[in-house]
Amino acid sequence: MNRRDLSDDDTGPIRRVTDTPSDRSPGTSRSPRPEGARRPRPPAQRPRQAEPGRRRAAEPKPEPVGHGHTHGHGPAAPASRRVRLLLMWLLIPLAVATVAGMILLYPWGKDPAKSVFPQGVPVNATVTGTITGPCLAEGQVQVGEPPPDAKPCLTSELTMTDGPGAGKPLKLTLPIEPSTPRFAAGDKVVLSYNGGDVANPASFQIVDFQRGTPLLLLAGLFALAVIVLGRWQGLAALIALGLSFLVLALFVLPSILAGESPLLVAIAGAGAIMFVALYLTHGLSARTSVAVLGTLVSLVLIGVLSAIFSAAASLTGLDDSTSQLIGSLGHGIDARGLLLAGVVIGALGVLDDVTVTQTSAVWELRRANPSLGWRELYGAGLRIGRDHVGSAVNTLVMAYAGAALPVLLYTSLSGVGLGSILGAENIAQEIVRTLAGSVGIVAAVPVTTVLAALIASREPQESL
């Protein structure tokens, strides 16, 4: 058998798939016929050997093995018993460890963490009018011209729509500065009520705009687009997304706020999200199980690299938001562990995409040519993964760069050299996040591909 085309960088083992299956048995090579070799009989003079799938569809009596299985891109066929046992031995201990970790790390019986600083009660209000003028307290009157360096203030007239002062008017004055939001008549805003006299404007403070309606509309549009395109699988993906948010809100956040190790909490939470999201979206199959294994191995690699290089770079994790969090909690927290937890959770979504794509590619390659061994499957799948990994890494880098854009702009104003800018705490954190996550994504391609090739090559042909 000619093996030259198995390592062909342009086509790979797909070239071994026959164009006319009736002319030769599965797995035979398309090597040219030697000069003088015996020609086969014309199609009209010999019985036509159809593909197994076609013959089963045409014959009135189905074959007992593999009946009804097609080679389309629908749901994965059930794995063979040998493959199922192998995957169970690998995945069940990991699932048990994930559940045990969540049970041990959850803050059972502890009160929810609260800020030591009073945050106030949110109250909704509507702006009925605004006036720009000098900054005057209640009852004060401007006499003469204001000083040339005096900053103007914006006086907003509001009507509270809920809370203890529902329906009552209110006037609040804010200095106009570059960092001050601009309010106009008709805006719906959120006030912070400190519990004082409702008639006293000092009891209230404008916090932000109300954004519930546009966010709900955008979420509805997103859900509609996913369901229209993905149908039942899209609905399953939305359910998986909702369960992922529940894991974050009900386990990850309370556990970290209670003082547990952020990295261990992130690993347990990411494991739970991985199992729920992948199996619910893609179904219980050997392909999904291989994707889970590849994702888990890559997450471990990302966590290890992040821990090593954050310690080597002396990263403390104490950026502005983390410092504010520690001040609000009133007690210490593992800031570096919080940084590592963010790296693990942030890379999870991209890893899912890479591992699922690689396993599906390997399975489809073996379906197209069941005679391929694991080495041929690995080589072909790796060539597919090279194209995917470039876009995946770029996605992760741009996501982190977009999130850190204000930090990048602020740091660039310092006027120091590029090396000093890149070595700053805030920028160095993003570099470690990006590069450690990218290394994990790159490693996910060969790791997942070799696992998929080893498992898929052991699948009997009738199970494909």
Side-chain angles (χ1 to χ4, degrees):
M1 182 182 297
N2 183 15
R3 293 283 180 179
R4 172 66 183 90
D5 52 0
L6 292 179
S7 59
D8 193 333
D9 290 337
D10 295 328
T11 58
I14 285 294
R15 291 181 58 186
R16 298 183 62 192
V17 181
T18 62
D19 293 329
T20 55
S22 59
D23 293 338
R24 52 191 182 277
S25 59
T28 57
S29 172
R30 291 192 65 180
S31 58
R33 188 168 45 249
E35 189 70 27
R38 180 181 177 182
R39 289 181 173 274
R41 289 179 293 175
Q45 300 178 6
R46 62 189 178 101
R48 183 177 179 85
Q49 182 181 359
E51 288 184 66
R54 293 181 179 177
R55 190 173 70 185
R56 287 195 296 270
E59 293 179 354
K61 183 180 294 186
E63 293 184 0
V65 178
H67 170 61
H69 177 71
T70 61
H71 286 211
H73 295 275
S80 64
R81 183 175 181 274
R82 180 175 58 179
V83 171
R84 287 199 305 268
L85 288 176
L86 175 61
L87 292 174
M88 287 173 59
W89 278 104
L90 291 173
L91 288 174
I92 287 180
L94 299 177
V96 171
T98 299
V99 175
M102 294 180 70
I103 293 175
L104 293 174
L105 293 171
Y106 187 79
W108 302 101
K110 295 183 180 179
D111 294 331
K114 295 181 180 179
S115 174
V116 295
F117 302 125
Q119 300 294 323
V121 178
V123 174
N124 293 329
T126 302
V127 179
T128 57
T130 58
I131 301 174
T132 302
C135 298
L136 300 175
E138 186 72 21
Q140 283 185 334
V141 178
Q142 175 70 41
V143 178
E145 292 294 330
D149 58 345
K151 293 183 179 180
C153 282
L154 180 69
T155 300
S156 301
E157 299 178 353
L158 309 104
T159 300
M160 291 179 280
T161 57
D162 63 4
K168 294 183 178 180
L170 182 68
K171 282 187 178 182
L172 295 178
T173 301
L174 292 174
I176 298 178
E177 296 179 352
S179 59
T180 304
R182 299 296 189 267
F183 300 103
D187 288 342
K188 297 183 181 300
V189 297
V190 179
L191 309 178
S192 176
Y193 173 54
N194 62 14
D197 185 7
V198 177
N200 186 2
S203 302
F204 296 90
Q205 183 180 0
I206 299 181
V207 176
D208 210 341
F209 291 93
Q210 297 182 33
R211 300 186 178 93
T213 300
L215 292 180
L216 288 176
L217 289 176
L218 181 58
L221 180 61
F222 165 73
L224 180 63
V226 171
I227 292 175
V228 168
L229 182 62
R231 299 185 180 180
W232 288 110
Q233 190 171 11
L235 179 60
L238 290 177
I239 296 174
L241 179 62
L243 293 176
S244 299
F245 276 114
L246 287 179
V247 172
L248 291 174
L250 301 181
F251 169 69
V252 175
L253 299 183
S255 299
I256 293 178
L257 291 176
E260 300 293 343
S261 169
L263 181 57
L264 294 180
V265 171
I267 292 174
I273 292 173
M274 176 185 62
F275 278 105
V276 170
L278 288 180
Y279 281 120
L280 185 58
T281 304
H282 303 284
L284 289 168
S285 65
R287 286 190 301 186
T288 308
S289 299
V290 172
V292 170
L293 286 173
T295 303
L296 182 62
V297 172
S298 302
L299 281 178
V300 171
L301 177 61
I302 290 173
V304 171
L305 287 176
S306 301
I308 292 174
F309 285 96
S310 62
S314 301
L315 294 180
T316 62
L318 293 173
D319 55 9
D320 293 338
S321 57
T322 304
S323 300
Q324 185 178 359
L325 170 64
I326 294 176
S328 299
L329 283 174
H331 61 77
I333 192 173
D334 184 2
R336 183 182 292 173
L338 194 60
L339 168 66
L340 302 179
V343 175
V344 171
I345 294 176
L348 181 59
V350 182
L351 280 177
D352 288 352
D353 175 49
V354 172
T355 55
V356 169
T357 300
Q358 287 305 112
T359 53
S360 297
V362 171
W363 247 260
E364 292 304 322
L365 286 169
R366 181 137 197 272
R367 281 183 173 183
N369 191 350
S371 65
L372 295 178
W374 76 268
R375 288 183 177 85
E376 292 92 347
L377 290 173
Y378 173 74
L382 195 60
R383 284 191 288 273
I384 296 173
R386 291 193 187 108
D387 293 333
H388 191 199
V389 80
S391 59
V393 169
N394 189 62
T395 299
L396 188 65
V397 171
M398 292 299 102
Y400 282 134
L405 187 58
V407 177
L408 294 172
L409 293 172
Y410 176 74
T411 308
S412 65
L413 292 176
S414 60
V416 298
L418 181 62
S420 300
I421 292 176
L422 297 179
E425 174 79 21
N426 293 338
I427 304 299
Q429 285 186 11
E430 300 304 324
I431 293 176
V432 171
R433 289 183 206 269
T434 302
L435 296 184
S438 298
V439 170
I441 291 172
V442 172
V445 172
V447 169
T448 307
T449 304
V450 72
L451 290 173
L454 291 171
I455 298 297
S457 62
R458 284 163 173 75
E459 285 272 60
Q461 183 174 346
E462 61 269 14
S463 297
L464 295 174

